[in-house]
Amino acid sequence: MATLLIHHPVFAEHLVPFGHPERPERIQAVEAALADERFAPLLREKARMADVAMIRLCHTEAHLDAMRHYSPSESMVRIDADTIMSSKTLEAALVAVGGACQAVDAVMDDDAKNAFCAMRPPGHHAEPERAMGFCYFNQAAIAARHAQRAHGIERVAIVDWDVHHGNGTQAIFWDDPSVLYASTHQMPLYPGTGAASETGAGNIVNAPLAPGAGSAEFRAALEGHILPALDAFRPELVIISAGFDAHHQDPLGELRLDEADFAEATDLLMACADRHARGRLVSILEGGYDLKALASSTAVHVERLMRAG
């Protein structure tokens, strides 16, 4: 079985104002990197649009209505200072959710050994009733719930290594012990959540890193906090919220990671998936705002996924 790559041209059609960090060039840089011949073995599929029932797995009807209300036919509308909708934003967000669930289906049905979803907008800040932080719907959270509802598994783990804490994912699963949410992120930093004391129903594991932290601190967070929690939880599916903005070149964070750190983290989570989940792993692109660092980090991450046995 090959590694599945989920993609769609609509992800580049979600437009933002000039100078906004979450811009179409991000996904174009990722796609250019994955067009290299070493990625020829990837199984490539265009993402399918989510149906509304998928959104309702993690978001309220009021939130869906708000997204429809804000969605413009032309120009752009600001939801908040950072989160903007253009005429294709709602479609891109729905396709991103559909693509994440499509990746789960492929991995759970043994049609792919693992999957990477090259998608934007990101999702991990989206709360049940609120779009924020460049995010509209929470793809990782919906994918986890879809795996439970459509495939009958009991335990899903979401591991988030974006430089920003995934407040939305944490909020969605705060009191749900069937989903483990584990995050390493910079603190203090937007959105202000993610303290180690935030533990939910015992299913939330936050390993915050101080500004300037690098490889040693990142590995200590993984090996000292996140991996032991995963092994105790024994997930039947591992989902990665794969943000690459903890890279030392990224303009929105102050962590000092590089491509080797993302490669090692990928290996560690693949090994965990091998131990507990028959290797079933789905990775979903979140942040990463330096185009060169995003492209090279994504390439290393996908290369590692392709090495799965």
Side-chain angles (χ1 to χ4, degrees), residues 161-182:
W161 66 49
D162 193 281
V163 77
H164 303 95
H165 180 248
N167 59 293
T169 313
Q170 176 171 291
I172 288 167
F173 297 116
W174 180 255
D175 57 359
D176 182 355
S178 74
V179 178
L180 176 72
Y181 176 67

Side-chain angles (χ1 to χ4, degrees), residues 256-280:
R256 308 299 300 166
L257 304 188
D258 60 21
E259 290 80 356
D261 295 307
F262 296 122
E264 183 174 30
T266 305
D267 288 344
L268 291 171
L269 293 181
M270 287 170 58
C272 176
D274 286 341
R275 289 194 297 274
H276 303 294
R278 292 172 42 202
R280 297 181 295 206

Side-chain angles (χ1 to χ4, degrees), residues 1-304:
M1 292 186 292
T3 292
L4 172 64
L5 174 66
I6 297 289
H7 64 100
H8 198 285
V10 76
F11 299 139
E13 297 180 49
H14 159 48
L15 303 181
V16 293
F18 179 79
H20 194 286
E22 208 293 281
R23 57 205 191 276
E25 289 84 357
R26 294 183 61 241
I27 200 67
Q28 292 164 351
V30 167
E31 290 173 346
L34 299 181
D36 187 88
E37 63 180 11
R38 68 186 184 277
F39 297 107
L42 288 171
L43 174 64
R44 298 170 186 260
E45 292 184 4
K46 289 176 70 173
R48 298 189 290 265
M49 183 176 289
D51 59 46
V52 174
M54 289 177 176
I55 307 301
R56 293 189 182 115
L57 291 173
C58 293
H59 295 284
T60 64
E61 196 69 36
H63 178 60
L64 258 171
D65 290 342
M67 293 300 94
R68 295 186 186 111
H69 170 75
Y70 282 116
S71 182
S73 58
E74 57 185 24
S75 189
M76 298 181 191
V77 171
R78 284 188 181 270
I79 297 175
D80 60 31
D82 299 317
T83 312
I84 294 98
M85 296 190 78
S86 63
S87 62
K88 287 288 188 176
T89 299
L90 182 58
E91 180 182 349
L94 289 169
V95 172
V97 170
C101 294
Q102 181 179 339
V104 165
D105 291 340
V107 170
M108 293 303 302
D109 292 339
D110 292 328
D111 294 327
K113 60 185 178 182
N114 53 40
F116 178 70
C117 301
M119 308 188 304
R120 64 180 285 273
H124 71 153
H125 294 309
E127 296 181 343
E129 294 186 321
R130 183 184 180 192
M132 60 181 287
F134 315 158
C135 302
Y136 307 87
F137 303 124
N138 196 313
Q139 293 96 272
I142 294 170
R145 189 65 81 213
H146 174 73
Q148 292 176 321
R149 298 290 173 86
H151 298 279
I153 63 174
E154 296 180 359
R155 298 178 307 281
V156 182
I158 302 173
V159 180
D160 188 337
W161 66 49
D162 193 281
V163 77
H164 303 95
H165 180 248
N167 59 293
T169 313
Q170 176 171 291
I172 288 167
F173 297 116
W174 180 255
D175 57 359
D176 182 355
S178 74
V179 178
L180 176 72
Y181 176 67
S183 176
T184 175
H185 49 273
Q186 180 181 324
M187 194 172 189
L189 192 64
Y190 180 91
T193 54
S197 59
E198 298 168 16
T199 58
N203 62 315
I204 307 295
V205 180
N206 287 310
L209 302 173
S215 302
E217 294 88 348
F218 181 59
R219 173 129 195 175
L222 290 173
E223 294 189 332
H225 299 281
I226 290 176
L227 290 173
L230 287 167
D231 284 333
F233 183 70
R234 295 178 295 110
E236 297 165 89
L237 171 68
V238 175
I239 295 174
I240 303 175
S241 275
F244 296 106
D245 42 6
H247 194 284
H248 64 88
Q249 293 179 339
D250 198 275
L252 298 192
E254 300 168 275
L255 297 185
R256 308 299 300 166
L257 304 188
D258 60 21
E259 290 80 356
D261 295 307
F262 296 122
E264 183 174 30
T266 305
D267 288 344
L268 291 171
L269 293 181
M270 287 170 58
C272 176
D274 286 341
R275 289 194 297 274
H276 303 294
R278 292 172 42 202
R280 297 181 295 206
L281 184 151
V282 171
S283 178
I284 300 170
L285 181 64
E286 298 281 3
Y289 304 100
D290 180 272
L291 298 183
K292 289 184 178 179
L294 172 62
S296 59
S297 299
T298 300
V300 165
H301 176 55
V302 175
E303 280 186 307
R304 296 298 176 128

